[in-house]
Amino acid sequence: MIKKIRRSAYTGLIGSVAIALAAICFCLFCQYRFYMTDEKQFNIFMIIGVVLSVLDITAILMVVRKSIPRLRQTDSLDQKLSQYASLISSMYYGTLFVVLIVSTIVVISNNTRIIMLILLTVLMLFLLFPNMYKIKADLGLNDEQMKGLFGNDYIPDNRDEE
């Protein structure tokens, strides 16, 4: 289950970074550009990109705020991990899809003002990346459970014993 969490997080994160970098490089370095002649279409694309990015960031924050405490309440470790894996995969793949759409809007409309929202969305993925200590905090696991999941890679915090 840990491999599924890592795989979906890495896929979403690396894919989002690659798509965002490709859109930025296309806008900055490519000699071919798309220009929209209609100002209304340009504004509509900008509004759609902004709304998608803001909705994705808001959804991520709301889901993390509401579902993480519910995951801690779950009794079984297997249930916690499976629900956490589905939560991580939905967040990361959903954000990958939003970054793809907004980057496409940036390339089609040559509207570089939306790039900052793409970068903010990708930053959210970096902040929520599930390493082993974040998984421990998110799921409320103890040291024995963490040793069972990660083996010798997990180093327990012994400051309480001193």
Side-chain angles (χ1 to χ4, degrees):
M1 195 59 65
I2 297 295
K3 288 182 182 182
K4 181 180 178 185
I5 294 170
R6 286 183 179 165
R7 183 177 55 244
S8 60
Y10 277 121
T11 303
L13 180 66
I14 292 171
S16 295
V17 168
I19 291 170
L21 286 176
I24 291 169
C25 288
F26 185 84
C27 288
L28 295 178
F29 302 120
C30 187
Q31 63 184 0
Y32 302 107
R33 295 236 176 4
F34 298 103
Y35 292 105
M36 302 187 90
T37 56
D38 189 10
E39 188 69 27
K40 287 182 183 178
Q41 287 181 347
F42 181 80
N43 289 335
I44 288 172
F45 273 129
M46 185 171 141
I47 290 170
I48 289 171
V50 169
V51 167
L52 277 174
S53 295
V54 169
L55 282 177
D56 185 54
I57 292 169
T58 305
I60 288 173
L61 292 175
M62 294 302 289
V63 164
V64 167
R65 185 178 146 253
K66 289 187 177 191
S67 63
I68 296 297
R70 262 189 276 153
L71 284 175
R72 287 185 189 146
Q73 302 290 324
T74 308
D75 295 331
S76 168
L77 179 63
D78 291 334
Q79 286 179 337
K80 283 183 184 183
L81 287 175
S82 66
Q83 290 175 2
Y84 191 71
S86 66
L87 173 73
I88 292 295
S89 64
S90 65
M91 279 192 316
Y92 276 82
Y93 290 139
T95 302
L96 176 66
F97 182 69
V98 168
V99 167
L100 178 66
I101 290 174
V102 176
S103 295
T104 305
I105 289 173
V106 166
V107 169
I108 288 174
S109 66
N110 197 29
N111 186 357
T112 57
R113 292 178 245 168
I114 307 174
I115 290 177
M116 188 54 69
L117 287 173
I118 294 172
L119 296 177
L120 183 63
T121 306
V122 172
L123 176 66
M124 290 294 299
L125 295 180
F126 276 108
L127 294 175
L128 295 172
F129 193 78
N131 62 27
M132 73 173 74
Y133 297 104
K134 186 169 181 333
I135 291 173
K136 178 183 179 183
D138 286 347
L139 299 179
L141 303 177
N142 58 27
D143 288 335
E144 294 172 6
Q145 292 170 327
M146 289 298 290
K147 278 283 194 186
L149 288 174
F150 295 103
N152 292 332
D153 291 339
Y154 173 71
I155 301 170
D157 185 19
N158 294 328
R159 286 185 282 176
D160 298 334
E161 296 174 1
E162 294 175 1

